[in-house]
Amino acid sequence: MSSGLGAGLPLETGVPGVFLSPPGFERVIGLLRDGIAALTADEPFHRLVIPPVISRATIERAGYVAAFPNLLGTVHGYGGTPSGWARLKPLVESGGEWHAQQQIGDLVLLPAACYPVYATLEGRTLDEPAKVTVEASCFRQEATSEPGRMRSFRMLELVTVATDEHCLKWRAARLEQVEGWFTELGLAVSVEVADDPFFGPGRKVYQAAQRMQELKWELRVPVADGTVQAVASANYHKEHFGETFGITAGGEPANTSCVAFGLERLAMALIARHGEESTRWPVDVLAALGGGRRA
Ligand code: ATP
Ligand code: ZN
């Protein structure tokens, strides 16, 4: 494109892991939303749009801070006086530490789309499985920025909160369905037991336990230049969130499962496979994306 602003792939901003999306890329994200909506039409999901921030207390209680302090983005603000700021203000121009008095606030940047759902269900007794789809902009302070690894990215998740039996069956069925969907989309998918990148002492033990119990499955596909990334994960958290937030199902602490799609990674994978011009993709691929009728 003559403007140099690109057509299909995200544009670099000069800051690692932060991109601008041109219309061609957004069209693919839209097609993915359509495809996932078609995929999930077989169950009555509540659809929620989630803001990119979450209560710090929630994310502390959920265990995220303890496990991933390196990935969490905190939100700080200036709580001082105007005269205090008069002393700090010149430091903005001189490149000094104007932020020395910034204080942590009651919100943090959302690291994954499903957390707000568990907190919202706090204290409930569920007579039937809760089923929710959520989409949110997420932030993770990633240490590397290889293709597909961003700091700001969008996650679309299917979440269920219910008994252990339901959550395990549901996740297995959805995992199989999503693997089949990726194959229809022409993506070379591998499904692998995975673990989360816990931080600090004890991480090897946590990771081994997570793998042994098969709590996390990843669906991995090539996203660009031969780089393979997880484009989705299917997770079972046992009673972790049910206990933390006092949610009950079947007379016990509720269990939870989620299937999380990384929208940017998936869009990159489709573009790597079928090209930047999504209106010209094969008919069967467009059919698997809700018909491909997006503007
Ligand atoms: P990875 O192993 O690549 O770090 P993860 O296991 O931490 O990913 P999940 O927490 O399962 O990822 O998040 C769900 C999905 O969100 C991932 O499968 C991926 O598609 C997407 N995702 C996660 N982190 C990033 C990122 N830094 N940039 C872009 N997409 C991401
Ligand atoms: Zn989740």
Side-chain angles (χ1 to χ4, degrees):
M1 209 185 243
S2 57
S3 64
L5 287 177
L9 284 168
L11 298 165
E12 308 226 359
T13 59
V15 183
V18 181
F19 296 86
L20 305 186
S21 297
F25 192 75
E26 284 309 295
R27 183 173 192 276
V28 177
I29 299 266
L31 291 173
L32 285 165
R33 288 192 186 110
D34 293 347
I36 294 167
L39 218 57
T40 53
D42 56 350
E43 281 187 293
F45 285 97
H46 289 275
R47 190 178 297 193
L48 298 174
V49 174
I50 306 281
V53 289
I54 184 169
S55 146
R56 172 160 60 90
T58 297
I59 223 69
E60 287 164 356
R61 288 170 69 198
Y64 193 89
V65 184
F68 313 108
N70 54 321
L71 296 178
L72 183 68
T74 51
V75 178
H76 287 62
Y78 178 66
T81 60
S83 59
W85 181 243
R87 287 191 293 278
L88 291 171
K89 194 175 165 191
L91 298 174
V92 177
E93 270 194 14
S94 66
E97 298 227 340
W98 62 264
H99 38 76
Q101 287 178 24
Q102 297 291 111
Q103 284 182 347
I104 197 162
D106 60 345
L107 298 174
V108 294
L109 300 180
L110 184 69
C114 62
Y115 288 102
V117 175
Y118 313 128
T120 298
L121 291 174
E122 176 149 22
R124 305 258 182 110
T125 297
L126 303 174
D127 299 327
E128 53 185 56
K131 295 171 184 180
V132 186
T133 64
V134 285
E135 182 180 331
S137 279
C138 295
F139 177 89
R140 293 181 186 178
Q141 183 67 333
E142 299 278 6
T144 59
S145 55
E146 73 275 16
R149 187 164 301 280
M150 303 171 171
R151 289 193 286 166
S152 179
F153 56 95
R154 284 165 285 182
M155 202 186 283
L156 199 163
E157 294 202 51
L158 324 179
V159 184
T160 194
V161 185
T163 60
D164 53 354
E165 195 193 350
H166 165 86
C167 288
L168 274 165
K169 266 198 201 148
W170 182 92
R171 182 184 64 152
R174 288 286 171 198
L175 177 60
E176 196 185 325
Q177 182 195 33
V178 172
E179 183 185 7
W181 184 51
F182 287 169
T183 305
E184 278 174 48
L185 292 175
L187 303 175
V189 57
S190 68
V191 179
E192 292 168 25
V193 169
D195 54 51
D196 283 310
F198 297 100
F199 190 79
R203 73 176 180 280
K204 293 225 164 88
V205 177
Y206 290 130
Q207 284 169 330
Q210 206 181 9
R211 281 176 175 268
M212 208 161 66
Q213 298 176 80
E214 300 185 350
L215 299 182
K216 183 182 188 85
W217 290 90
E218 273 180 356
L219 296 107
R220 300 170 60 80
V221 309
V223 294
D225 304 336
T227 306
V228 173
Q229 295 275 26
V231 291
S233 67
N235 306 283
Y236 173 51
H237 318 109
K238 302 184 15 182
E239 65 290 322
H240 175 67
F241 295 116
E243 266 178 3
T244 303
F245 296 106
I247 313 165
T248 307
E252 309 270 346
N255 281 228
T256 59
S257 287
C258 70
V259 176
F261 298 92
L263 291 180
E264 280 84 359
R265 284 189 187 175
L266 262 174
M268 288 173 70
L270 286 171
I271 289 171
R273 177 72 179 82
H274 302 297
E276 288 192 26
E277 191 39 78
S278 58
T279 53
R280 295 202 210 117
W281 287 354
V283 175
D284 51 338
V285 170
L286 292 174
L289 292 166
R293 285 180 293 273
R294 285 243 161 195

